Amino acid sequence: MIEVVAALIVKDGRFMICQRPANKKRAFLWEFVGGKVEKGESKEQALVRECREELGVTVRPDALFCDVEYEYPDTTVHLYVFRAQITGGVPQKLEHNDIKWIMPSEISLYEFCPADKDILAKIVNEL
């Protein structure tokens, strides 16, 4: 099982989604910014590092929004989604194909990674 962190970044009623690049598994699907927790890192430290690497921003992780386990054909992930605030920088496409800010009502317009299904349902009910 791989531990993965992701950021739920909300601004003006919209939340940030990122499109996976062509060279990665699940290419062109939408997801939340984040990635694997490395050995010796806390989940919050991993989230700060991933946001810096993938978006060029500094974030402050807030409370855990939810966590889910999902079994893909090639791996099983335990995904921890934290609410987070951007405290420095402007999001850039350093690793992703695209970045969007969407309303919860627009979720159905995008094809997300399967592991995000329950997270998206929670967003619809709580944002």
Side-chain angles (χ1 to χ4, degrees):
M1 172 138 1
I2 299 171
E3 287 195 325
V4 177
V5 291
L8 174 58
I9 302 171
V10 180
K11 179 176 144 186
D12 301 326
R14 297 178 182 273
F15 66 99
M16 179 189 292
I17 60 173
C18 300
Q19 189 178 45
R20 292 179 65 82
N23 63 339
K24 294 212 173 172
K25 292 179 182 174
R26 294 167 275 288
F28 301 114
L29 294 182
W30 292 86
E31 66 179 0
F32 300 93
V33 62
K36 295 176 189 162
V37 178
E38 294 181 357
K39 187 176 181 173
E41 277 184 321
S42 70
K43 291 172 186 63
E44 292 85 354
Q45 288 169 330
L47 191 65
V48 169
R49 176 184 51 75
E50 288 286 349
C51 289
R52 186 175 51 249
E53 291 174 359
E54 294 184 0
L55 298 175
V57 297
T58 303
V59 297
R60 183 187 74 235
D62 293 327
L64 182 67
F65 180 71
C66 65
D67 69 295
V68 297
E69 287 185 16
Y70 189 84
E71 190 172 336
Y72 285 105
D74 57 322
T75 190
T76 300
V77 296
H78 191 155
L79 178 57
Y80 299 86
V81 182
F82 289 86
R83 288 184 176 266
Q85 306 276 332
I86 295 175
T87 59
V90 175
Q92 303 167 60
K93 296 180 277 189
L94 301 178
E95 289 196 17
H96 290 95
N97 190 56
D98 202 359
I99 300 168
K100 299 254 187 213
W101 292 90
I102 68 168
M103 300 289 292
S105 61
E106 297 173 306
I107 288 170
S108 65
L109 302 176
Y110 298 89
E111 188 175 352
F112 284 86
C113 291
D116 294 337
K117 181 181 175 207
D118 291 341
I119 300 160
L120 294 164
K122 186 172 170 75
I123 287 172
V124 167
N125 291 327
E126 295 190 20
L127 282 194

